Amino acid sequence: MDATLAADARATLLEQQLTLDEKISLLHGHTPILWHERPADFIWTSGYVAGVPRLGIPAQRQTDAGLGVTNPTMKDASLGSTVLPSGLAAASTWNPELAREGGAMLGLEAHQFGFNVVLAPGANLTRDPRGGRNFEYAGEDPLLAGTIAGNVIAGIQSQDEIASLKHYVLNNQETGRFIYDVQIDESAARESDLLAFEIAVETGAPGSVMCSYNKVWTVYACENAGLLNTTLKGDWAWPGFVMSDWGGTHSTETAAINGLDQEDGEEFDGKSYFDAPLAKAVQAGTVPQARFDDMVHRILRTLFEKGVMDHPATPTNVDYEADAAASQRVAEQAIVLLKNTNAVLPLAKTLERVAIIGGHSDVGILGGGGGSSEVSAHGGVALRIRHTDGDFDVSENYLGLGDVQQHEVSTRRQRLTLSPRGLLFF
């Protein structure tokens, strides 16, 4: 195929050669750690979407990457990666160029591990300091969050990777995330949470956007026509593909027609909505052929546009020293919480201790437990805390929960011993 053609033209030429089954294979993905029919070319990671080898379409190998390239369940202990500071830390630098540099490092490592889809960054606003995914978001201000996330996206995609901007939208807490319904005036949403995503989309042009678990205006985000068709694809004229969060798909016809392009981690859904049921719906006409073709086209044109087709990810050696230096540059700027430039604040030069006062300022809340927080650091971790009641097992906590997934992992807290020189607010 002529590589000088535009991504849309190349995608159209490729679509014409695909069978119905091959098109369907591009529209639903699996979770390798829960999938019992893994192909030979899978990698232990978050997600896998089959390719079409006869036409040179690669499998989509997706990795969580909120803090670095992840290694779920430590199936392959050799896949240690460089750990990045949290999204909140990156936002604390107020440095878009540094965010882009961190994103480029993340994209490069993902590419060198053989992944081609990076499930990062997040642009949800920090509406509650107890939010379980705050570590991969970029603060409470939409301009800052959108700018930082957009530059992380640009960095990731500079390495021939697809970035997936998440979790669209208003996924501001983990408690009740499968069932809560966000009620917010549309104008207020467009000036806050939606604005952060809009800025991120305009700044970084992500190949994919991941829709969230929660409902917005009584409708699940992953089948919400107002969010997906009207705002994201319509008002913002975004040409990429919408992927579901793992366990975020709830229907076939409704989801497809209302804007979802790819069901991911179908094992978390309890069944596949975009495999045989979608093929049947297309043949019956309950999902229009034009919409079905659009779903396929959005994925193929993204594979071309972001370099995945022309520069396939192949496992190779990682320059951990260079990557660690990039991570450290982010950390060094992030850790400085206050600069008293030109002695603006009346603080004595002899000052040694500063108290930061606030609720739970003496308690650290443990976060993570899986997914994008599960990064196995190259060289090992400095401290590992084991729960007394056993390690978290994703297969026990997310599967078999029925149509309404209500299980929530209980929050565990550990009291920290703080330095006598100050008080740290969480």
Side-chain angles (χ1 to χ4, degrees), residues 256-271:
I257 292 171
N258 288 352
L260 181 63
D261 300 303
Q262 186 181 80
E263 175 190 18
D264 286 279
E266 64 182 45
E267 288 76 15
F268 283 74
D269 293 321
K271 68 175 183 178

Side-chain angles (χ1 to χ4, degrees), residues 131-278:
R133 304 302 281 271
N134 285 351
F135 68 87
E136 59 181 334
Y137 297 157
E140 67 276 11
D141 178 78
L143 176 59
L144 177 62
T147 301
I148 293 296
N151 278 275
V152 172
I153 291 166
I156 291 171
Q157 295 185 160
S158 70
Q159 304 301 316
D160 301 311
E161 296 282 308
I162 294 171
S164 183
L165 176 63
K166 59 184 188 181
H167 305 84
Y168 184 78
V169 63
L170 291 154
N171 180 198
N172 307 113
Q173 67 180 50
E174 290 295 272
T175 302
R177 63 182 180 170
F178 296 113
I179 56 175
Y180 71 74
D181 180 9
V182 179
Q183 295 297 318
I184 182 174
D185 185 79
E186 183 177 354
S187 62
R190 285 182 177 265
E191 294 174 358
S192 55
D193 297 72
L194 282 173
L195 179 58
F197 277 86
E198 182 179 10
I199 293 171
V201 166
E202 292 178 351
T203 302
S208 178
V209 167
M210 181 190 296
C211 49
S212 56
Y213 291 124
N214 53 282
K215 294 179 180 180
V216 180
W217 305 314
T218 74
V219 180
Y220 283 111
C222 285
E223 53 185 46
N224 192 311
L227 294 176
L228 303 181
N229 289 338
T230 302
T231 301
L232 179 61
K233 296 178 178 180
D235 296 341
W236 302 346
W238 175 73
F241 68 96
V242 176
M243 64 163 59
S244 72
D245 202 342
W246 278 225
T249 305
H250 299 273
S251 64
T252 299
E253 288 92 342
T254 300
I257 292 171
N258 288 352
L260 181 63
D261 300 303
Q262 186 181 80
E263 175 190 18
D264 286 279
E266 64 182 45
E267 288 76 15
F268 283 74
D269 293 321
K271 68 175 183 178
S272 176
Y273 290 99
F274 276 19
D275 190 357
L278 180 58

Side-chain angles (χ1 to χ4, degrees), residues 75-403:
K75 292 290 186 182
D76 187 346
S78 68
L79 293 180
S81 58
T82 302
V83 180
L84 276 166
S86 69
L88 281 171
S92 297
T93 69
W94 294 81
N95 189 332
E97 292 76 17
L98 202 57
R100 185 177 296 238
E101 181 183 349
M105 184 278 283
L106 185 60
L108 178 60
E109 279 205 6
H111 201 80
Q112 291 169 331
F113 281 130
F115 305 120
N116 50 25
V117 181
V118 177
L119 306 177
N124 293 95
L125 300 185
T126 307
R127 286 181 172 271
D128 190 318
R130 300 165 298 178
R133 304 302 281 271
N134 285 351
F135 68 87
E136 59 181 334
Y137 297 157
E140 67 276 11
D141 178 78
L143 176 59
L144 177 62
T147 301
I148 293 296
N151 278 275
V152 172
I153 291 166
I156 291 171
Q157 295 185 160
S158 70
Q159 304 301 316
D160 301 311
E161 296 282 308
I162 294 171
S164 183
L165 176 63
K166 59 184 188 181
H167 305 84
Y168 184 78
V169 63
L170 291 154
N171 180 198
N172 307 113
Q173 67 180 50
E174 290 295 272
T175 302
R177 63 182 180 170
F178 296 113
I179 56 175
Y180 71 74
D181 180 9
V182 179
Q183 295 297 318
I184 182 174
D185 185 79
E186 183 177 354
S187 62
R190 285 182 177 265
E191 294 174 358
S192 55
D193 297 72
L194 282 173
L195 179 58
F197 277 86
E198 182 179 10
I199 293 171
V201 166
E202 292 178 351
T203 302
S208 178
V209 167
M210 181 190 296
C211 49
S212 56
Y213 291 124
N214 53 282
K215 294 179 180 180
V216 180
W217 305 314
T218 74
V219 180
Y220 283 111
C222 285
E223 53 185 46
N224 192 311
L227 294 176
L228 303 181
N229 289 338
T230 302
T231 301
L232 179 61
K233 296 178 178 180
D235 296 341
W236 302 346
W238 175 73
F241 68 96
V242 176
M243 64 163 59
S244 72
D245 202 342
W246 278 225
T249 305
H250 299 273
S251 64
T252 299
E253 288 92 342
T254 300
I257 292 171
N258 288 352
L260 181 63
D261 300 303
Q262 186 181 80
E263 175 190 18
D264 286 279
E266 64 182 45
E267 288 76 15
F268 283 74
D269 293 321
K271 68 175 183 178
S272 176
Y273 290 99
F274 276 19
D275 190 357
L278 180 58
K280 183 178 179 180
V282 172
Q283 292 170 326
T286 53
V287 170
Q289 184 69 44
R291 169 59 188 137
F292 178 63
D293 291 341
D294 176 61
M295 296 163 72
V296 175
H297 182 87
R298 286 175 173 273
I299 292 171
L300 290 178
R301 59 100 48 213
T302 299
L303 293 174
F304 280 117
E305 183 185 62
K306 304 309 177 185
V308 172
M309 292 286 286
D310 297 327
H311 306 281
T314 304
T316 186
N317 294 329
V318 176
D319 187 346
Y320 287 108
E321 185 174 344
D323 292 349
S327 179
Q328 183 172 334
R329 285 191 287 274
V330 178
E332 286 174 347
Q333 288 198 22
I335 202 170
V336 178
L337 300 181
L338 177 66
K339 287 184 178 181
N340 194 21
T341 305
N342 299 323
V344 172
L345 297 176
L347 303 177
K349 293 182 178 180
T350 56
L351 180 69
E352 292 186 359
R353 294 184 294 176
V354 175
I356 302 176
I357 309 299
H360 296 301
S361 57
D362 62 339
V363 176
I365 300 176
L366 299 181
S372 53
S373 67
E374 194 169 316
V375 181
S376 302
H378 173 68
V381 297
L383 174 66
R384 185 182 298 277
I385 299 174
R386 295 291 189 185
H387 297 314
T388 56
D389 55 347
D391 293 337
F392 175 79
D393 186 339
V394 66
S395 64
E396 293 178 1
N397 288 284
Y398 281 89
L399 298 183
L401 302 178
D403 294 331

